[in-house]
Amino acid sequence: MHDHDRITPAPEDRFTFGLWTVGNPGRDPFGEPVRGAISPVRIVERLAELGAYGVNLHDNDLVSFDASAAERDAIVAEFRRALDDNGMRVPMCTTNLFSHPVFKDGALTADDPAVRAFALQKVMRSMELGAELGAEVYVFWGGREGAEADAARDPRTWIARYRESLDFLCAHSKAQGYGYRFALEAKPNEPRGDIYFATTGHMLHFIETLAHPEMVGVNPEVAHENLAGLNFVHNVGQALEAGKLFHIDLNAQKIGRYDQDLRFGSEDLKGAFLLVRMLEGSGGRFPRWEGMRHFDAHAYRTEDEAGVWDFAAGCMRTYNLLREKAHAFDADPEVQELLAEPRDPDFEALLRYSPEGAAALAEREIDVAPFARAGKRHERLDQLVVEHLLGVRGS
Ligand code: GCO
Ligand code: MN
Ligand code: MN
């Protein structure tokens, strides 16, 4: 058992990893794998020892693409035993719709109806697997839904196909009683030159056009929004505000690089701090987000298996360290003073629309000079973030 000291990872922290993350053998476009495969059973055992809550998977992380039905059942039974023996859960499942050559020009948005039908069938089977393992969230990452040659199809065509597929799968999930919540994961590029629905914001709008929008939310990933040079905290915040943050993929990424999938918090520590602070409730201003803290990243290619477990432990430990830093930051009296919201009941009343109020506001003289003059003290506030992170403030 873990002697839980708030930093040592424990199941109540709700940390999960994909089988494909710690299982990543270190292959890249220029080089062969540097590590051997780690079996799903061993991954479950080691992650449980490190304090994780669960593991997530694509269908083919567990059951290979061409396994027979009997092979599938044996593999799933062995995996189920490992989960039970180690008290681990599978909160999320997803489908590999990107590795096989049949998906080279898309799966749910492919031109050929037979390819779209095969993709739907693969998702249905994977949803069944996930349900068997107890998954509640089902992720859709359209890795091959995209293009290099945009002359090949009009955006309205792929949008309609993706909508038709998701409407089908929502209806299927309801009919089967799986109780899934779908989480759509955006990425701007890699492996395609351009992937459709490039950002979380694109997904949030698209969801509202579906037949069952209440079933569908988003799975934003740190690296994906950073690839596009966007502000991850803003984008996750918008999803939270809309009640649409169903899952999150935590990792790190340098802007302007290839898709790095780095250990959480290993780049942009301030961004990671602000993200953790928001997920944990922004100092009590909002409820804590109750979803899984999932890591979608992998160890450097320089590592052997020991380095993989260093990587996994590091993701979780950094999250907890940042959570404690966030609590200390929000408890700091100077921070509280700097964040105190200015109140003015007179003006607040004028901000609520009524015809009379609007008429009154139209006539009102507002002396803006003091507001134009006053500094915001954001230099001091941001320095306090840095001092907390560097350990010279707070506990
Ligand atoms: C990536 C994606 C994937 C998805 C995974 C879940 O950049 O490759 O982040 O790791 O998250 O396929 O569907
Ligand atoms: Mn990714
Ligand atoms: Mn991801």
Side-chain angles (χ1 to χ4, degrees), residues 352-384:
R352 287 184 289 275
Y353 180 81
S354 69
E356 308 73 47
L361 180 55
E363 296 303 315
R364 177 75 174 252
E365 277 212 29
I366 301 172
D367 178 11
V368 299
F371 303 99
R373 255 194 320 268
K376 296 297 298 178
R377 304 218 61 213
H378 288 177
E379 284 290 356
R380 181 64 189 153
L381 180 66
D382 195 72
Q383 180 64 19
L384 286 171

Side-chain angles (χ1 to χ4, degrees), residues 185 187 221 224 251 259 261 296:
E185 179 176 349
K187 188 177 185 184
E221 174 169 319
H224 296 181
N251 57 10
D259 180 16
D261 278 342
D296 188 9

Side-chain angles (χ1 to χ4, degrees), residues 2 9-22 40-57 79-80 82-84 86-93 133-135 247-248 291-296 309 312 316:
H2 306 270
E12 60 265 29
D13 297 322
R14 295 287 189 267
F15 292 130
T16 60
F17 288 83
L19 283 183
W20 72 94
T21 64
V22 285
V41 168
R42 177 158 172 79
I43 289 175
V44 167
E45 288 166 359
R46 287 295 286 133
L47 285 179
E49 278 167 27
L50 291 172
Y53 175 81
V55 285
N56 301 321
L57 48 105
F79 186 64
R80 175 77 282 157
L83 293 169
D84 294 343
N86 292 279
M88 289 277 276
R89 310 285 292 271
V90 177
M92 179 274 263
C93 261
L133 295 170
H247 199 262
I248 194 163
M292 295 294 141
R293 275 70 173 160
H294 171 76
F295 299 104
D296 188 9
W309 306 123
M316 297 188 282

Side-chain angles (χ1 to χ4, degrees), residues 187-188 221-228 232 249-253 259-262 296:
K187 188 177 185 184
E221 174 169 319
V222 177
H224 296 181
E225 308 285 324
N226 271 306
L227 281 170
F232 190 63
D249 280 6
L250 301 171
N251 57 10
Q253 169 76 34
D259 180 16
Q260 294 175 298
D261 278 342
L262 298 167
D296 188 9

Side-chain angles (χ1 to χ4, degrees), residues 1 20 30 38-39 52 54 62 89 121 176 212 236 277 287:
M1 277 313 288
W20 72 94
F30 303 92
I38 312 176
S39 75
L62 187 64
R89 310 285 292 271
Q121 181 194 65
Q176 298 295 308
H212 301 285
V236 174
R277 177 174 178 246

